[in-house]
Amino acid sequence: RTLVVTLQSLEAALPGRRVVRVMPNTPCLVGEAACGFALGTHATESDRTLVKTLLDAVGVSMEVNEILLNAVTGLSGSGPAYVFQFIEALSDGGVRSGLPRNVATMLAAQTVKGAAEMVLRTGKHPGELKDGVTSPGGTTIAGVEALEKGGFRAATISAVTSATKRSMQLGGTSEEEIANKYNL
């Protein structure tokens, strides 16, 4: 059963109409969305401008080829749940280390928010910013090593690709095409 509505199906149902497909995310509720959108064949430059203006009013938006909306779904559509889990895990680590829950959660959430702002404002690669915090033989490299031993990076990549694949499945893409064309 197809659950993802494609531009093709919208245009078939609405012949000659201008349509746009959008993948928002829940942080739009607080003005911090990361959205992807794709224009239909009849959409105009004015439609592009209008959609971008509307989406940028609740965060940021990126126009992508429609097939990439599956990856947008896997990354930024589902991504808030991954980040919530990370914040919860950071908070749990703080509690395990002796901090009260409310202090640990606030520090964890603000740490993620601050780190994200550094990536956005500086334009530096996250690895470069990580290296700026990581001193030889220090606390941060000990923590980074623990994350790597636990498979943090691989698990995160797998979460995005698994959600991308599921989005393709929900859109009716065959398992063969997912495997052969997209290597997922």
Side-chain angles (χ1 to χ4, degrees):
R1 180 174 134 202
T2 301
L3 297 175
V4 174
V5 178
T6 65
L7 288 171
Q8 182 180 10
S9 65
L10 286 170
E11 289 177 342
L14 303 164
R17 300 291 179 138
R18 301 178 343 240
V19 297
V20 178
R21 184 172 158 208
V22 176
M23 181 64 231
N25 67 2
T26 57
C28 70
L29 297 170
V30 294
E32 295 293 341
C35 306
F37 70 95
L39 300 175
T41 57
H42 302 293
T44 65
E45 186 61 37
S46 294
D47 296 326
R48 173 183 282 115
T49 301
L50 176 61
V51 169
K52 183 140 183 68
T53 299
L54 291 171
L55 294 175
D56 287 350
V58 294
V60 298
S61 63
M62 304 291 291
E63 182 178 0
V64 298
N65 183 290
E66 183 185 24
I67 194 62
L68 295 177
L69 282 177
N70 293 306
V72 170
T73 299
L75 176 63
S76 62
S78 301
Y82 316 149
V83 175
F84 297 146
Q85 282 189 293
F86 182 61
I87 292 169
E88 181 183 34
L90 283 175
S91 179
D92 288 347
V95 170
R96 175 68 178 90
S97 297
L99 293 172
R101 174 62 69 187
N102 65 326
V103 172
T105 300
M106 189 281 298
L107 290 173
Q110 183 61 39
T111 297
V112 170
K113 180 180 178 184
E117 280 298 321
M118 287 182 71
V119 171
L120 294 171
R121 290 185 192 182
T122 68
K124 292 182 179 178
H125 188 279
E128 182 182 352
L129 292 169
K130 176 202 65 169
D131 289 347
V133 181
T134 308
S135 55
T139 59
T140 303
I141 193 62
V144 167
E145 179 183 30
L147 287 172
E148 291 299 331
K149 283 182 178 176
F152 176 76
R153 187 181 311 262
T156 304
I157 292 168
S158 183
V160 174
T161 57
S162 293
T164 299
K165 180 178 179 178
R166 183 65 180 139
S167 179
M168 290 175 168
Q169 292 167 335
L170 292 172
T173 305
S174 72
E175 290 298 324
E176 182 180 349
E177 184 177 359
I178 292 170
N180 295 332
K181 187 173 180 182
Y182 301 102
N183 199 30
L184 294 175

